[in-house]
Amino acid sequence: ACNSDLPDIIFTIDFAAQKHKDQRRKDPDKTPYINHPIGVANILIQEGGVEDLEVIQAAVLHDTVEDTDTTFEELEEAFGKSVTNIVREVTDNKLLSKEERKELQIKNASHKSHQAKLVKMADKIYNLRDLNRALPEGWDEKRRHEYFVWAQKVCCQIYDANEALATCLQKLFTEFFGK
Ligand code: NDP
Ligand code: ZN
């Protein structure tokens, strides 16, 4: 990434901010949802050393189709095929049940592209840190524990994509499971 990427990055953040404008995270403070995709992109840059602009854009956009009315056609129009395909790879099929989606993430993780694995790792790092910071409304310790167990099953298959992010995830799991 370089200076001339800045307009594309700001355009992407603006697009995501508009799409997520009415959404909040599940934490008790009801943090604006856009903090999450921006934070995921920041983890990739600051902690993963990732410089691939397509990956950064896909990170900013990664929950737009899953959680808003955004379509892949719309993303393709605005950002092109490469960025859209990364988002496609990290988007769960909303026609399936929560249980099926969780199972498929475990089943499919290792078959994802390098770019998609990077977004997935940073997404999980952000969510696990969020869960460490505060329990979402309506969650109990058991549910947080189950989330960490599931996240580890997904993440342990994709550590090959980025060493720094893998170390970060492994530390989150080790500290949570207390070992
Ligand atoms: P959800 O998938 O419902 O919630 C976790 C997701 O919410 C994250 O992956 C993240 O996704 C998003 N999110 C938004 N705000 C936060 C936040 N502050 N911290 C962390 N994540 C946040 O939860 P589960 O993983 O529990 O999925 C549901 C599954 O749990 C089902 O399989 C169901 O059977 C089970 N379940 C268990 C219960 C229990 O008590 N044990 C109760 C109910 C269901 P994103 O990156 O997309 O924003
Ligand atoms: Zn996410």
PDB file of all heavy atoms in Angstrom, residues 25-27 33 36 62-63 66-67 98-99 102 123 127 130-131 136 139-140 142-143 146-147, ligand 1:
ATOM      1  N   ARG A  25     -22.539  -3.100  17.694  1.00  0.00           N
ATOM      2  CA  ARG A  25     -21.962  -4.339  18.169  1.00  0.00           C
ATOM      3  C   ARG A  25     -22.799  -4.860  19.325  1.00  0.00           C
ATOM      4  O   ARG A  25     -23.691  -4.172  19.827  1.00  0.00           O
ATOM      5  CB  ARG A  25     -20.505  -4.098  18.601  1.00  0.00           C
ATOM      6  CG  ARG A  25     -19.624  -3.628  17.438  1.00  0.00           C
ATOM      7  CD  ARG A  25     -19.299  -4.742  16.485  1.00  0.00           C
ATOM      8  NE  ARG A  25     -18.354  -5.690  17.092  1.00  0.00           N
ATOM      9  CZ  ARG A  25     -18.068  -6.870  16.540  1.00  0.00           C
ATOM     10  NH1 ARG A  25     -18.636  -7.243  15.413  1.00  0.00           N
ATOM     11  NH2 ARG A  25     -17.205  -7.673  17.145  1.00  0.00           N
ATOM     12  N   LYS A  26     -22.477  -6.095  19.758  1.00  0.00           N
ATOM     13  CA  LYS A  26     -23.284  -6.730  20.795  1.00  0.00           C
ATOM     14  C   LYS A  26     -22.805  -6.412  22.208  1.00  0.00           C
ATOM     15  O   LYS A  26     -23.362  -6.932  23.175  1.00  0.00           O
ATOM     16  CB  LYS A  26     -23.255  -8.253  20.594  1.00  0.00           C
ATOM     17  CG  LYS A  26     -23.937  -8.711  19.303  1.00  0.00           C
ATOM     18  CD  LYS A  26     -23.702 -10.197  19.059  1.00  0.00           C
ATOM     19  CE  LYS A  26     -24.410 -10.675  17.797  1.00  0.00           C
ATOM     20  NZ  LYS A  26     -23.991 -12.050  17.427  1.00  0.00           N
ATOM     21  N   ASP A  27     -21.736  -5.636  22.355  1.00  0.00           N
ATOM     22  CA  ASP A  27     -21.222  -5.323  23.686  1.00  0.00           C
ATOM     23  C   ASP A  27     -22.209  -4.415  24.430  1.00  0.00           C
ATOM     24  O   ASP A  27     -23.035  -3.753  23.812  1.00  0.00           O
ATOM     25  CB  ASP A  27     -19.839  -4.665  23.591  1.00  0.00           C
ATOM     26  CG  ASP A  27     -19.878  -3.351  22.830  1.00  0.00           C
ATOM     27  OD1 ASP A  27     -20.410  -3.325  21.701  1.00  0.00           O
ATOM     28  OD2 ASP A  27     -19.408  -2.339  23.365  1.00  0.00           O
ATOM     29  N   TYR A  33     -21.111  -0.349  14.881  1.00  0.00           N
ATOM     30  CA  TYR A  33     -20.632  -1.561  14.206  1.00  0.00           C
ATOM     31  C   TYR A  33     -19.386  -1.303  13.371  1.00  0.00           C
ATOM     32  O   TYR A  33     -18.493  -2.155  13.285  1.00  0.00           O
ATOM     33  CB  TYR A  33     -21.743  -2.178  13.332  1.00  0.00           C
ATOM     34  CG  TYR A  33     -21.385  -3.577  12.943  1.00  0.00           C
ATOM     35  CD1 TYR A  33     -21.702  -4.646  13.764  1.00  0.00           C
ATOM     36  CD2 TYR A  33     -20.643  -3.828  11.792  1.00  0.00           C
ATOM     37  CE1 TYR A  33     -21.312  -5.938  13.453  1.00  0.00           C
ATOM     38  CE2 TYR A  33     -20.244  -5.109  11.466  1.00  0.00           C
ATOM     39  CZ  TYR A  33     -20.586  -6.160  12.296  1.00  0.00           C
ATOM     40  OH  TYR A  33     -20.176  -7.423  11.980  1.00  0.00           O
ATOM     41  N   HIS A  36     -15.765  -2.258  14.115  1.00  0.00           N
ATOM     42  CA  HIS A  36     -15.243  -3.614  13.912  1.00  0.00           C
ATOM     43  C   HIS A  36     -14.502  -3.781  12.581  1.00  0.00           C
ATOM     44  O   HIS A  36     -13.312  -4.132  12.586  1.00  0.00           O
ATOM     45  CB  HIS A  36     -16.376  -4.646  14.088  1.00  0.00           C
ATOM     46  CG  HIS A  36     -16.059  -6.008  13.611  1.00  0.00           C
ATOM     47  ND1 HIS A  36     -15.088  -6.797  14.188  1.00  0.00           N
ATOM     48  CD2 HIS A  36     -16.568  -6.748  12.586  1.00  0.00           C
ATOM     49  CE1 HIS A  36     -15.018  -7.950  13.545  1.00  0.00           C
ATOM     50  NE2 HIS A  36     -15.909  -7.959  12.558  1.00  0.00           N
ATOM     51  N   HIS A  62     -15.852  -6.691   4.923  1.00  0.00           N
ATOM     52  CA  HIS A  62     -16.080  -8.134   5.097  1.00  0.00           C
ATOM     53  C   HIS A  62     -17.455  -8.514   5.649  1.00  0.00           C
ATOM     54  O   HIS A  62     -17.924  -9.612   5.403  1.00  0.00           O
ATOM     55  CB  HIS A  62     -14.949  -8.776   5.920  1.00  0.00           C
ATOM     56  CG  HIS A  62     -15.087  -8.627   7.409  1.00  0.00           C
ATOM     57  ND1 HIS A  62     -14.620  -7.549   8.103  1.00  0.00           N
ATOM     58  CD2 HIS A  62     -15.674  -9.437   8.341  1.00  0.00           C
ATOM     59  CE1 HIS A  62     -14.883  -7.698   9.393  1.00  0.00           C
ATOM     60  NE2 HIS A  62     -15.534  -8.832   9.571  1.00  0.00           N
ATOM     61  N   ASP A  63     -18.100  -7.607   6.397  1.00  0.00           N
ATOM     62  CA  ASP A  63     -19.424  -7.934   6.949  1.00  0.00           C
ATOM     63  C   ASP A  63     -20.572  -7.202   6.241  1.00  0.00           C
ATOM     64  O   ASP A  63     -21.717  -7.287   6.697  1.00  0.00           O
ATOM     65  CB  ASP A  63     -19.463  -7.621   8.452  1.00  0.00           C
ATOM     66  CG  ASP A  63     -18.821  -8.718   9.302  1.00  0.00           C
ATOM     67  OD1 ASP A  63     -18.952  -9.904   8.932  1.00  0.00           O
ATOM     68  OD2 ASP A  63     -18.196  -8.382  10.332  1.00  0.00           O
ATOM     69  N   GLU A  66     -22.977  -9.938   4.632  1.00  0.00           N
ATOM     70  CA  GLU A  66     -23.548 -10.800   5.676  1.00  0.00           C
ATOM     71  C   GLU A  66     -24.522 -10.039   6.569  1.00  0.00           C
ATOM     72  O   GLU A  66     -25.543 -10.599   6.982  1.00  0.00           O
ATOM     73  CB  GLU A  66     -22.409 -11.379   6.520  1.00  0.00           C
ATOM     74  CG  GLU A  66     -22.778 -12.678   7.204  1.00  0.00           C
ATOM     75  CD  GLU A  66     -21.553 -13.359   7.819  1.00  0.00           C
ATOM     76  OE1 GLU A  66     -20.705 -13.831   7.054  1.00  0.00           O
ATOM     77  OE2 GLU A  66     -21.464 -13.380   9.051  1.00  0.00           O
ATOM     78  N   ASP A  67     -24.240  -8.803   6.856  1.00  0.00           N
ATOM     79  CA  ASP A  67     -25.005  -8.083   7.899  1.00  0.00           C
ATOM     80  C   ASP A  67     -25.810  -6.876   7.412  1.00  0.00           C
ATOM     81  O   ASP A  67     -26.464  -6.219   8.222  1.00  0.00           O
ATOM     82  CB  ASP A  67     -24.051  -7.612   9.009  1.00  0.00           C
ATOM     83  CG  ASP A  67     -23.393  -8.779   9.730  1.00  0.00           C
ATOM     84  OD1 ASP A  67     -23.935  -9.891   9.671  1.00  0.00           O
ATOM     85  OD2 ASP A  67     -22.341  -8.568  10.354  1.00  0.00           O
ATOM     86  N   LYS A  98     -27.504 -21.081  11.866  1.00  0.00           N
ATOM     87  CA  LYS A  98     -26.291 -20.690  12.608  1.00  0.00           C
ATOM     88  C   LYS A  98     -25.374 -21.891  12.810  1.00  0.00           C
ATOM     89  O   LYS A  98     -24.158 -21.791  12.641  1.00  0.00           O
ATOM     90  CB  LYS A  98     -26.675 -20.121  13.980  1.00  0.00           C
ATOM     91  CG  LYS A  98     -26.815 -18.583  14.004  1.00  0.00           C
ATOM     92  CD  LYS A  98     -25.557 -17.928  14.571  1.00  0.00           C
ATOM     93  CE  LYS A  98     -25.580 -16.411  14.423  1.00  0.00           C
ATOM     94  NZ  LYS A  98     -26.429 -15.776  15.436  1.00  0.00           N
ATOM     95  N   GLU A  99     -25.959 -23.018  13.181  1.00  0.00           N
ATOM     96  CA  GLU A  99     -25.173 -24.230  13.440  1.00  0.00           C
ATOM     97  C   GLU A  99     -24.463 -24.697  12.169  1.00  0.00           C
ATOM     98  O   GLU A  99     -23.280 -25.036  12.209  1.00  0.00           O
ATOM     99  CB  GLU A  99     -26.068 -25.361  13.981  1.00  0.00           C
ATOM    100  CG  GLU A  99     -26.526 -25.191  15.425  1.00  0.00           C
ATOM    101  CD  GLU A  99     -27.624 -24.136  15.587  1.00  0.00           C
ATOM    102  OE1 GLU A  99     -28.219 -23.716  14.557  1.00  0.00           O
ATOM    103  OE2 GLU A  99     -27.871 -23.725  16.729  1.00  0.00           O
ATOM    104  N   LYS A 102     -21.579 -22.381  11.275  1.00  0.00           N
ATOM    105  CA  LYS A 102     -20.417 -22.591  12.155  1.00  0.00           C
ATOM    106  C   LYS A 102     -19.654 -23.856  11.731  1.00  0.00           C
ATOM    107  O   LYS A 102     -18.432 -23.856  11.698  1.00  0.00           O
ATOM    108  CB  LYS A 102     -20.876 -22.731  13.607  1.00  0.00           C
ATOM    109  CG  LYS A 102     -21.560 -21.484  14.137  1.00  0.00           C
ATOM    110  CD  LYS A 102     -20.843 -20.924  15.328  1.00  0.00           C
ATOM    111  CE  LYS A 102     -21.115 -19.429  15.407  1.00  0.00           C
ATOM    112  NZ  LYS A 102     -20.117 -18.680  16.115  1.00  0.00           N
ATOM    113  N   ASP A 123     -10.316 -10.928  11.728  1.00  0.00           N
ATOM    114  CA  ASP A 123     -11.711 -10.876  12.195  1.00  0.00           C
ATOM    115  C   ASP A 123     -11.855 -11.611  13.524  1.00  0.00           C
ATOM    116  O   ASP A 123     -12.448 -11.105  14.486  1.00  0.00           O
ATOM    117  CB  ASP A 123     -12.592 -11.523  11.109  1.00  0.00           C
ATOM    118  CG  ASP A 123     -14.080 -11.444  11.397  1.00  0.00           C
ATOM    119  OD1 ASP A 123     -14.525 -10.442  11.994  1.00  0.00           O
ATOM    120  OD2 ASP A 123     -14.808 -12.378  11.006  1.00  0.00           O
ATOM    121  N   ASN A 127     -12.787 -10.167  17.310  1.00  0.00           N
ATOM    122  CA  ASN A 127     -13.952 -10.654  18.055  1.00  0.00           C
ATOM    123  C   ASN A 127     -13.562 -11.290  19.389  1.00  0.00           C
ATOM    124  O   ASN A 127     -14.250 -11.116  20.390  1.00  0.00           O
ATOM    125  CB  ASN A 127     -14.754 -11.646  17.198  1.00  0.00           C
ATOM    126  CG  ASN A 127     -15.538 -10.939  16.106  1.00  0.00           C
ATOM    127  OD1 ASN A 127     -15.878  -9.762  16.240  1.00  0.00           O
ATOM    128  ND2 ASN A 127     -15.820 -11.640  15.022  1.00  0.00           N
ATOM    129  N   ASP A 130     -12.758  -8.587  21.734  1.00  0.00           N
ATOM    130  CA  ASP A 130     -14.023  -7.963  22.136  1.00  0.00           C
ATOM    131  C   ASP A 130     -14.673  -8.784  23.252  1.00  0.00           C
ATOM    132  O   ASP A 130     -15.157  -8.235  24.244  1.00  0.00           O
ATOM    133  CB  ASP A 130     -14.968  -7.903  20.921  1.00  0.00           C
ATOM    134  CG  ASP A 130     -15.478  -6.501  20.649  1.00  0.00           C
ATOM    135  OD1 ASP A 130     -15.085  -5.565  21.381  1.00  0.00           O
ATOM    136  OD2 ASP A 130     -16.269  -6.332  19.701  1.00  0.00           O
ATOM    137  N   LEU A 131     -14.666 -10.109  23.078  1.00  0.00           N
ATOM    138  CA  LEU A 131     -15.282 -10.990  24.081  1.00  0.00           C
ATOM    139  C   LEU A 131     -14.499 -10.972  25.394  1.00  0.00           C
ATOM    140  O   LEU A 131     -15.082 -11.137  26.464  1.00  0.00           O
ATOM    141  CB  LEU A 131     -15.374 -12.425  23.549  1.00  0.00           C
ATOM    142  CG  LEU A 131     -16.381 -12.638  22.422  1.00  0.00           C
ATOM    143  CD1 LEU A 131     -16.351 -14.092  21.959  1.00  0.00           C
ATOM    144  CD2 LEU A 131     -17.793 -12.261  22.863  1.00  0.00           C
ATOM    145  N   PRO A 136     -21.060  -9.932  25.648  1.00  0.00           N
ATOM    146  CA  PRO A 136     -22.220  -9.311  24.985  1.00  0.00           C
ATOM    147  C   PRO A 136     -23.490  -9.499  25.816  1.00  0.00           C
ATOM    148  O   PRO A 136     -23.587 -10.433  26.614  1.00  0.00           O
ATOM    149  CB  PRO A 136     -22.326 -10.087  23.667  1.00  0.00           C
ATOM    150  CG  PRO A 136     -20.967 -10.617  23.412  1.00  0.00           C
ATOM    151  CD  PRO A 136     -20.397 -10.907  24.773  1.00  0.00           C
ATOM    152  N   TRP A 139     -25.266 -12.952  26.925  1.00  0.00           N
ATOM    153  CA  TRP A 139     -24.312 -14.066  26.897  1.00  0.00           C
ATOM    154  C   TRP A 139     -23.928 -14.439  28.323  1.00  0.00           C
ATOM    155  O   TRP A 139     -23.870 -13.585  29.209  1.00  0.00           O
ATOM    156  CB  TRP A 139     -23.037 -13.676  26.142  1.00  0.00           C
ATOM    157  CG  TRP A 139     -23.170 -13.625  24.654  1.00  0.00           C
ATOM    158  CD1 TRP A 139     -24.176 -13.033  23.934  1.00  0.00           C
ATOM    159  CD2 TRP A 139     -22.247 -14.162  23.689  1.00  0.00           C
ATOM    160  NE1 TRP A 139     -23.940 -13.167  22.591  1.00  0.00           N
ATOM    161  CE2 TRP A 139     -22.764 -13.852  22.406  1.00  0.00           C
ATOM    162  CE3 TRP A 139     -21.048 -14.855  23.783  1.00  0.00           C
ATOM    163  CZ2 TRP A 139     -22.113 -14.234  21.224  1.00  0.00           C
ATOM    164  CZ3 TRP A 139     -20.394 -15.231  22.623  1.00  0.00           C
ATOM    165  CH2 TRP A 139     -20.928 -14.917  21.348  1.00  0.00           C
ATOM    166  N   ASP A 140     -23.626 -15.724  28.519  1.00  0.00           N
ATOM    167  CA  ASP A 140     -23.030 -16.153  29.781  1.00  0.00           C
ATOM    168  C   ASP A 140     -21.627 -16.700  29.502  1.00  0.00           C
ATOM    169  O   ASP A 140     -21.212 -16.790  28.344  1.00  0.00           O
ATOM    170  CB  ASP A 140     -23.911 -17.196  30.490  1.00  0.00           C
ATOM    171  CG  ASP A 140     -24.231 -18.394  29.602  1.00  0.00           C
ATOM    172  OD1 ASP A 140     -23.562 -18.563  28.560  1.00  0.00           O
ATOM    173  OD2 ASP A 140     -25.142 -19.159  29.947  1.00  0.00           O
ATOM    174  N   LYS A 142     -20.479 -19.619  29.614  1.00  0.00           N
ATOM    175  CA  LYS A 142     -20.501 -20.838  28.816  1.00  0.00           C
ATOM    176  C   LYS A 142     -20.504 -20.510  27.325  1.00  0.00           C
ATOM    177  O   LYS A 142     -19.801 -21.126  26.540  1.00  0.00           O
ATOM    178  CB  LYS A 142     -21.733 -21.672  29.198  1.00  0.00           C
ATOM    179  CG  LYS A 142     -21.910 -22.961  28.396  1.00  0.00           C
ATOM    180  CD  LYS A 142     -22.956 -23.880  29.039  1.00  0.00           C
ATOM    181  CE  LYS A 142     -23.368 -25.024  28.117  1.00  0.00           C
ATOM    182  NZ  LYS A 142     -24.320 -24.582  27.067  1.00  0.00           N
ATOM    183  N   ARG A 143     -21.279 -19.509  26.966  1.00  0.00           N
ATOM    184  CA  ARG A 143     -21.363 -19.136  25.551  1.00  0.00           C
ATOM    185  C   ARG A 143     -20.043 -18.531  25.065  1.00  0.00           C
ATOM    186  O   ARG A 143     -19.602 -18.786  23.950  1.00  0.00           O
ATOM    187  CB  ARG A 143     -22.524 -18.153  25.335  1.00  0.00           C
ATOM    188  CG  ARG A 143     -22.704 -17.857  23.881  1.00  0.00           C
ATOM    189  CD  ARG A 143     -24.094 -17.430  23.559  1.00  0.00           C
ATOM    190  NE  ARG A 143     -24.221 -17.128  22.144  1.00  0.00           N
ATOM    191  CZ  ARG A 143     -25.261 -16.532  21.600  1.00  0.00           C
ATOM    192  NH1 ARG A 143     -26.275 -16.171  22.369  1.00  0.00           N
ATOM    193  NH2 ARG A 143     -25.297 -16.301  20.315  1.00  0.00           N
ATOM    194  N   GLU A 146     -17.732 -21.403  24.549  1.00  0.00           N
ATOM    195  CA  GLU A 146     -18.066 -22.121  23.308  1.00  0.00           C
ATOM    196  C   GLU A 146     -17.551 -21.368  22.078  1.00  0.00           C
ATOM    197  O   GLU A 146     -17.110 -21.978  21.103  1.00  0.00           O
ATOM    198  CB  GLU A 146     -19.590 -22.320  23.189  1.00  0.00           C
ATOM    199  CG  GLU A 146     -20.122 -23.443  24.047  1.00  0.00           C
ATOM    200  CD  GLU A 146     -21.651 -23.489  24.092  1.00  0.00           C
ATOM    201  OE1 GLU A 146     -22.301 -22.703  23.370  1.00  0.00           O
ATOM    202  OE2 GLU A 146     -22.179 -24.306  24.866  1.00  0.00           O
ATOM    203  N   TYR A 147     -17.633 -20.038  22.138  1.00  0.00           N
ATOM    204  CA  TYR A 147     -17.149 -19.232  21.006  1.00  0.00           C
ATOM    205  C   TYR A 147     -15.639 -19.403  20.838  1.00  0.00           C
ATOM    206  O   TYR A 147     -15.146 -19.563  19.721  1.00  0.00           O
ATOM    207  CB  TYR A 147     -17.516 -17.757  21.188  1.00  0.00           C
ATOM    208  CG  TYR A 147     -17.252 -16.944  19.933  1.00  0.00           C
ATOM    209  CD1 TYR A 147     -18.254 -16.777  18.979  1.00  0.00           C
ATOM    210  CD2 TYR A 147     -16.000 -16.383  19.694  1.00  0.00           C
ATOM    211  CE1 TYR A 147     -18.013 -16.065  17.807  1.00  0.00           C
ATOM    212  CE2 TYR A 147     -15.742 -15.668  18.534  1.00  0.00           C
ATOM    213  CZ  TYR A 147     -16.758 -15.511  17.597  1.00  0.00           C
ATOM    214  OH  TYR A 147     -16.512 -14.808  16.439  1.00  0.00           O
TER     215      TYR A 147
HETATM  216  P1  NDP B   1     -23.013 -15.280  17.353  1.00  0.00           P
HETATM  217  O1  NDP B   1     -22.487 -15.819  16.086  1.00  0.00           O
HETATM  218  O2  NDP B   1     -24.463 -15.054  17.472  1.00  0.00           O
HETATM  219  O3  NDP B   1     -22.225 -14.000  17.804  1.00  0.00           O
HETATM  220  C1  NDP B   1     -20.847 -13.899  17.620  1.00  0.00           C
HETATM  221  C2  NDP B   1     -20.597 -12.991  16.464  1.00  0.00           C
HETATM  222  O4  NDP B   1     -21.184 -11.729  16.745  1.00  0.00           O
HETATM  223  C3  NDP B   1     -19.142 -12.704  16.238  1.00  0.00           C
HETATM  224  O5  NDP B   1     -18.587 -13.684  15.400  1.00  0.00           O
HETATM  225  C4  NDP B   1     -19.175 -11.330  15.614  1.00  0.00           C
HETATM  226  O6  NDP B   1     -19.409 -11.541  14.229  1.00  0.00           O
HETATM  227  C5  NDP B   1     -20.413 -10.681  16.202  1.00  0.00           C
HETATM  228  N1  NDP B   1     -20.220  -9.703  17.289  1.00  0.00           N
HETATM  229  C6  NDP B   1     -20.895  -8.541  17.430  1.00  0.00           C
HETATM  230  N2  NDP B   1     -20.560  -7.923  18.548  1.00  0.00           N
HETATM  231  C7  NDP B   1     -19.621  -8.669  19.150  1.00  0.00           C
HETATM  232  C8  NDP B   1     -18.876  -8.500  20.338  1.00  0.00           C
HETATM  233  N3  NDP B   1     -19.019  -7.450  21.137  1.00  0.00           N
HETATM  234  N4  NDP B   1     -18.000  -9.467  20.678  1.00  0.00           N
HETATM  235  C9  NDP B   1     -17.826 -10.538  19.880  1.00  0.00           C
HETATM  236  N5  NDP B   1     -18.513 -10.743  18.715  1.00  0.00           N
HETATM  237  C10 NDP B   1     -19.410  -9.811  18.356  1.00  0.00           C
HETATM  238  O7  NDP B   1     -22.643 -16.149  18.566  1.00  0.00           O
HETATM  239  P2  NDP B   1     -22.306 -17.598  18.653  1.00  0.00           P
HETATM  240  O8  NDP B   1     -20.930 -17.839  18.181  1.00  0.00           O
HETATM  241  O9  NDP B   1     -22.638 -17.961  20.020  1.00  0.00           O
HETATM  242  O10 NDP B   1     -23.281 -18.257  17.559  1.00  0.00           O
HETATM  243  C11 NDP B   1     -24.462 -18.777  17.757  1.00  0.00           C
HETATM  244  C12 NDP B   1     -24.262 -20.207  18.114  1.00  0.00           C
HETATM  245  O11 NDP B   1     -24.284 -20.253  19.517  1.00  0.00           O
HETATM  246  C13 NDP B   1     -25.288 -21.116  17.601  1.00  0.00           C
HETATM  247  O12 NDP B   1     -24.653 -22.238  17.069  1.00  0.00           O
HETATM  248  C14 NDP B   1     -26.126 -21.482  18.816  1.00  0.00           C
HETATM  249  O13 NDP B   1     -26.470 -22.856  18.832  1.00  0.00           O
HETATM  250  C15 NDP B   1     -25.243 -21.189  19.948  1.00  0.00           C
HETATM  251  N6  NDP B   1     -25.909 -20.586  21.073  1.00  0.00           N
HETATM  252  C16 NDP B   1     -25.382 -20.813  22.281  1.00  0.00           C
HETATM  253  C17 NDP B   1     -25.935 -20.289  23.398  1.00  0.00           C
HETATM  254  C18 NDP B   1     -25.321 -20.540  24.701  1.00  0.00           C
HETATM  255  O14 NDP B   1     -25.780 -20.031  25.710  1.00  0.00           O
HETATM  256  N7  NDP B   1     -24.251 -21.302  24.772  1.00  0.00           N
HETATM  257  C19 NDP B   1     -27.129 -19.461  23.314  1.00  0.00           C
HETATM  258  C20 NDP B   1     -27.584 -19.243  21.988  1.00  0.00           C
HETATM  259  C21 NDP B   1     -26.982 -19.793  20.917  1.00  0.00           C
HETATM  260  P3  NDP B   1     -18.995 -10.475  13.085  1.00  0.00           P
HETATM  261  O15 NDP B   1     -17.529 -10.517  12.903  1.00  0.00           O
HETATM  262  O16 NDP B   1     -19.752 -11.014  11.897  1.00  0.00           O
HETATM  263  O17 NDP B   1     -19.519  -9.163  13.565  1.00  0.00           O
END
